[in-house]
């Protein structure tokens, strides 16, 4: 009973995320530069918003022999929930795809001025400067996927496009053979933008 309920919850989450991914692709194809209105943003703490997503990726990381740690502050930030969830899904999938067995991933926050930066840091393959220069282009695929099937090369591209829609900055740091860190700057709740 308990095992079946857990499995059913996993199937429901997978179905939701496949549907969300298809809507995301359609949205990116239709209007990739549309900026969300400030009225569409909501105040959330990241730990609550990302709870289900983290549960799913913790299981995936365990199956790949990767240690996923989360260290998120309790500050309220303005965000569009589906947009941020898509961004974090792509950040974690990318970190898992290019990590190695026995590797580590940290999803954590750090405050800087009026922004709370959400960072996804891994100790995987990393990227060369040439790869970094092209990584936000559509269908850019770098390296060999270690733990999960090769993607379409849309993960970092969609993170960039979704950050434009949510009007939030993105930072990317990477060294070949040393890992990658990608961050999204989220505005703290006071004062609210109008």
């Amino acid at each position: 009973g308990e095992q079946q309920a857990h499995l059913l919850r996993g199937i429901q989450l997978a179905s939701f995320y496949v549907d969300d991914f298809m809507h995301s692709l359609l949205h990116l194809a239709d209007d990739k530069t549309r900026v969300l209105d400030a009225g569409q943003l909501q105040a959330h703490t990241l730990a609550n918003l990302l709870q289900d997503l983290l549960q799913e990726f913790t299981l995936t990381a365990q199956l790949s022999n990767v240690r996923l740690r989360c260290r998120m502050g309790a500050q309220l930030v303005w965000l569009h929930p589906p947009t941020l969830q898509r961004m974090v899904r792509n950040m974690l999938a990318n970190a898992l795809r290019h990590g190695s067995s026995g590797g580590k991933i940290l999803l954590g926050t750090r405050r800087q001025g009026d922004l709370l930066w959400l960072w996804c840091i891994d100790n995987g393959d990393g990227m060369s400067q040439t790869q970094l220069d092209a990584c936000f282009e559509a269908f850019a695929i770098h390296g060999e996927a270690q733990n999960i099937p090769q993607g379409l090369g849309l993960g970092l591209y969609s993170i960039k496009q979704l950050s434009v829609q949510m009007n939030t900055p993105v930072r990317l740091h990477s060294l070949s053979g040393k890992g990658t860190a990608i961050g999204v700057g989220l505005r703290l709740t006071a004062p609210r933008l109008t």
Side-chain angles (χ1 to χ4, degrees):
E2 185 179 324
Q3 202 171 24
Q4 286 178 332
H6 182 71
L7 181 60
L8 180 60
R9 177 70 178 140
I11 291 170
Q12 289 170 331
L13 277 173
S15 175
F16 168 79
Y17 288 126
V18 166
D19 187 55
D20 183 63
F21 175 72
M22 298 308 289
H23 279 81
S24 178
L25 285 179
L26 180 62
H27 187 68
L28 287 170
D30 276 351
D31 190 15
K32 61 186 175 190
T33 58
R34 181 179 61 88
V35 176
L36 294 165
D37 184 89
Q40 294 175 278
L41 303 180
Q42 301 171 11
H44 282 277
T45 61
L46 294 174
N48 288 337
L49 180 69
L50 300 174
Q51 183 177 2
D52 285 345
L53 187 64
L54 290 171
Q55 180 181 355
E56 175 195 348
F57 272 93
T58 298
L59 266 171
T60 306
Q62 288 172 352
L63 291 172
S64 301
N65 193 28
V66 172
R67 183 173 176 216
L68 172 60
R69 293 183 303 133
C70 299
R71 300 284 184 263
M72 288 187 274
Q75 299 97 326
L76 284 167
V77 288
W78 291 117
L79 53 83
H80 184 248
T83 300
L84 184 74
Q85 288 169 331
R86 288 175 187 142
M87 292 173 81
V88 173
R89 169 171 291 283
N90 287 326
M91 291 162 71
L92 289 171
N94 199 60
L96 275 172
R97 182 171 287 118
H98 297 287
S100 56
S101 182
K104 297 177 185 175
I105 298 170
L106 171 65
L107 188 69
T109 57
R110 184 172 190 168
R111 185 175 179 162
Q112 186 177 21
D114 63 347
L115 296 178
L116 184 69
W117 283 88
L118 175 62
W119 287 98
C120 181
I121 303 167
D122 68 68
N123 65 345
D125 298 342
M127 289 183 271
S128 67
Q129 189 57 53
T130 303
Q131 291 171 327
L132 272 172
D133 292 342
C135 71
F136 286 121
E137 295 174 12
F139 306 108
I141 298 174
H142 306 295
E144 296 294 321
Q146 301 293 321
N147 300 308
I148 55 179
Q150 184 68 45
L152 299 173
L154 292 172
L156 292 176
Y157 169 78
S158 66
I159 289 170
K160 183 65 175 173
Q161 297 305 321
L162 292 167
S163 75
V164 169
Q165 291 173 14
M166 208 163 61
N167 194 25
T168 190
V170 171
R171 291 182 182 165
L172 177 67
H173 306 286
S174 189
L175 286 173
S176 186
K178 300 285 185 182
T180 300
I182 185 162
V184 179
L186 303 166
R187 288 173 182 82
L188 293 159
T189 53
R192 180 170 185 166
L193 299 176
T194 56

